[in-house]
Amino acid sequence: MFTRALDAHQSGRIEEAISLYGTVLRQNVDQPDVWNNLGVALRRSKRLDAALVAYRRAAELRPGNAGLWSNMGNCLREMMRFDEAAAAHDKALELDASIKSHPFNAGLVYRDTNRFEQAIKHFDAALAIDPDYVDANWDKALALLATGQYETGWAGYETRRKLADNPIRPLESVPEWDGKADLRGKRLLLRAEQGFGDMIQFARFVPLVGKKAAHIILECRSELIPVMRTIAGVGTIVEKGAKLPPFDLHVPLLSLPHVMKISEAELHRVSAEPYLSAPKGKQARLSPPSGTVLKVGLIWAGKLNPRDRSCPLELLMPLMAQKGASFYSFQVDERRGDIARLGANALITDMGEHIHDFGDSAALMKAMDLVITIDSAPAHLAGALGVPVWMLQLYTTDWRWMVGRTDSPWYPTMRIYRQEAPGDWAVPIAKLGADFANLLKARLGAAV
């Protein structure tokens, strides 16, 4: 029965494995390996409370198993019980620090609590065991970037090419640009990768390379084409997956800061002005109520993976009690339904049916006086357009927003409101609310 459970687990049939592990344990509960494996399967299926119980049962039976404590620490970290997670990982390291995943997993706790220097020390310990450890090299790179160590951070950022979930298809017939080869007279292909927000964020470097090459071909997903056409230096746009036109050299867009050796000073220089604009011919047609002095765009929900960055819409609704502001939803997914669910149809104008690509979003955003958003592609779009954007940020920060800052080196018009405790929006919402009231009061005063 245990062999069948292992086979199901290793084959990815997680529900079957969980069921079979349960059958085995009902026959004999004193089996620490089965409890541990059950914990792994339950954690993979995001049933973290049950997984933690399984790990604790295993630890009672075999407390000297270092891997078990490391697994338990991972589960506790995902539950955002960070102090307990750190203690579990310390126990794993005390028992066996020779396994590379043990210091790496411990480092993830420090990463998720924004203590990047300590995280780097643990990642370095893992890399001392295996210098080619992809996950440790990747997370170390992000930690370096989060602390502004750009030279080594950009070099390490190239590790993303080796990540299992981030394939960049090979183009072996044409050489890749290394930042050194002369681009005069050359057609350079900038390749698409990662998400919408990443593409918008790194598009700021296109004008720099556009001055070096005879012609820039920019590959991107179809939704981005209208705004990417507005970037200075872009010659040809090609949809990702479509047949490529002739080119002499290529490089992934997100590799530009590495191959061009972008420093902190250069980053500030290229980020000082907007680098995207609304496509010609696209205009927002709004009819704000009489007396509106502040048009506010809202985005409160995003993708669930790798981490749910959403903020409940109901937490933002107190802003709508103040006269003079009109609110417009930029949600384009099923979360548009939150407006009706909360009875907020009279408070928020749903623009979702008018948004089919980022060109539509850009035209609408340019008509806004302020965009309030979670960490999302629209946050990048607003920043790239030069629209004032207030972003609500999770306690566990993303590398690009750094640590403890209310501003961003990437977007001069951005203001960041951060959670000060895991899962707690109370403090950032209160700060945002106070700033909003002051802004609205100033606008109303200026309108008199």
Side-chain angles (χ1 to χ4, degrees):
M1 185 70 70
F2 182 52
T3 302
R4 286 175 55 199
L6 281 175
D7 178 68
H9 195 161
Q10 293 167 356
S11 301
R13 303 192 308 274
I14 300 302
E15 293 304 317
E16 181 183 345
I18 290 171
S19 178
L20 289 170
Y21 287 140
T23 300
V24 172
L25 289 167
R26 280 191 291 273
Q27 295 171 357
N28 181 3
V29 297
D30 295 328
Q31 299 188 71
D33 290 338
V34 182
W35 282 114
N36 187 29
N37 286 7
L38 175 61
V40 172
L42 288 166
R43 175 178 167 238
R44 182 170 171 181
S45 64
K46 300 300 180 183
R47 283 169 277 194
L48 300 179
D49 291 293
L52 183 58
V53 171
Y55 288 137
R56 294 206 188 282
R57 292 294 297 269
E60 290 174 0
L61 295 165
R62 189 177 293 166
N65 185 329
L68 161 65
W69 287 102
S70 190
N71 286 340
M72 188 187 302
N74 288 337
C75 183
L76 287 161
R77 176 177 60 82
E78 289 189 29
M79 299 171 79
M80 295 192 293
R81 292 164 60 171
F82 294 120
D83 290 343
E84 294 173 80
H89 286 303
D90 286 346
K91 181 69 173 178
L93 289 169
E94 176 188 322
L95 291 167
D96 189 350
S98 67
I99 298 175
K100 65 182 182 181
S101 63
H102 293 177
F104 171 70
N105 289 337
L108 294 179
V109 177
Y110 291 102
R111 179 202 67 181
D112 283 3
T113 51
N114 308 319
R115 292 175 286 178
F116 289 106
E117 295 298 340
Q118 295 96 317
I120 290 170
K121 290 179 182 178
H122 282 81
F123 298 150
D124 281 339
L127 291 168
I129 300 168
D130 178 5
D132 296 321
Y133 190 3
V134 171
D135 289 342
N137 275 305
W138 173 242
D139 277 289
K140 179 182 176 180
L142 300 186
L144 290 167
L145 290 172
T147 52
Q149 300 177 65
Y150 291 114
E151 183 178 356
T152 49
W154 292 134
Y157 198 65
E158 293 300 292
T159 304
R160 72 189 186 284
R161 299 172 184 240
K162 300 178 182 178
L163 298 174
D165 60 350
N166 188 49
I168 303 176
R169 69 184 189 279
L171 289 175
E172 297 173 353
S173 59
V174 179
E176 183 168 330
W177 186 52
D178 61 1
K180 301 174 184 176
D182 191 348
L183 293 178
R184 286 177 293 183
K186 303 295 185 182
R187 294 170 62 88
L188 176 66
L189 169 66
L190 301 178
R191 302 178 62 194
E193 55 172 320
Q194 295 199 26
F196 292 125
D198 301 285
M199 290 291 292
I200 293 170
Q201 177 186 0
F202 282 75
R204 77 193 62 231
F205 302 115
V206 174
L208 287 180
V209 73
K211 295 176 182 177
K212 299 175 179 288
H215 191 84
I216 294 293
I217 303 165
L218 177 61
E219 180 187 47
C220 65
R221 290 162 65 180
S222 61
E223 296 93 331
L224 285 169
I225 289 176
V227 290
M228 291 300 190
R229 281 202 180 104
T230 71
I231 300 172
V234 172
T236 301
I237 296 278
V238 59
E239 183 178 349
K240 184 178 182 181
K243 183 179 179 180
L244 295 170
F247 58 95
D248 302 299
L249 295 160
H250 68 91
V251 66
L253 178 66
L254 274 61
S255 290
L256 285 182
H258 170 55
V259 300
M260 299 181 75
K261 302 193 181 306
I262 299 295
S263 65
E264 182 177 4
E266 183 72 355
L267 174 60
H268 281 285
R269 190 182 72 79
V270 300
S271 303
E273 299 293 334
Y275 55 91
L276 294 181
S277 59
K280 292 181 179 178
K282 290 201 174 187
Q283 285 186 320
R285 293 178 174 83
L286 305 175
S287 300
S290 176
T292 296
V293 296
L294 196 64
K295 298 186 293 296
V296 185
L298 292 178
I299 302 98
W300 61 90
K303 296 186 300 183
L304 297 179
N305 291 314
R307 186 177 279 116
D308 184 9
R309 300 166 180 168
S310 304
C311 174
L313 176 58
E314 45 265 47
L315 297 183
L316 296 171
M317 287 180 63
L319 301 177
M320 303 167 199
Q322 305 168 74
K323 68 175 184 179
S326 295
F327 295 84
Y328 300 85
S329 166
F330 282 71
Q331 290 291 145
V332 294
D333 52 18
E334 66 275 4
R335 294 296 294 274
R336 291 171 62 191
D338 291 351
I339 300 173
R341 178 180 62 82
L342 295 170
N345 301 76
L347 306 173
I348 304 170
T349 302
D350 182 1
M351 306 304 298
E353 64 183 29
H354 302 290
I355 299 175
H356 306 289
D357 55 41
F358 282 90
D360 295 327
S361 292
L364 289 167
M365 279 189 179
K366 289 295 288 183
M368 297 294 116
D369 300 297
L370 173 66
V371 172
I372 297 175
T373 179
I374 55 157
D375 182 359
S376 61
H380 290 276
L381 181 62
L385 291 166
V387 175
V389 51
W390 293 0
M391 187 178 72
L392 290 158
Q393 175 65 22
L394 296 180
Y395 173 75
T396 297
T397 187
D398 187 85
W399 66 268
R400 68 203 82 208
W401 311 127
M402 308 183 82
V403 182
R405 295 180 61 154
T406 58
D407 66 338
S408 168
W410 295 91
Y411 302 111
T413 61
M414 176 175 281
R415 187 181 299 178
I416 303 175
Y417 296 86
R418 300 175 182 269
Q419 289 184 342
E420 296 186 6
D424 184 5
W425 286 116
V427 171
I429 289 291
K431 290 181 178 179
L432 185 148
D435 288 347
F436 185 82
N438 289 333
L439 174 62
L440 187 56
K441 182 179 179 181
R443 289 294 183 100
L444 289 167
V448 175

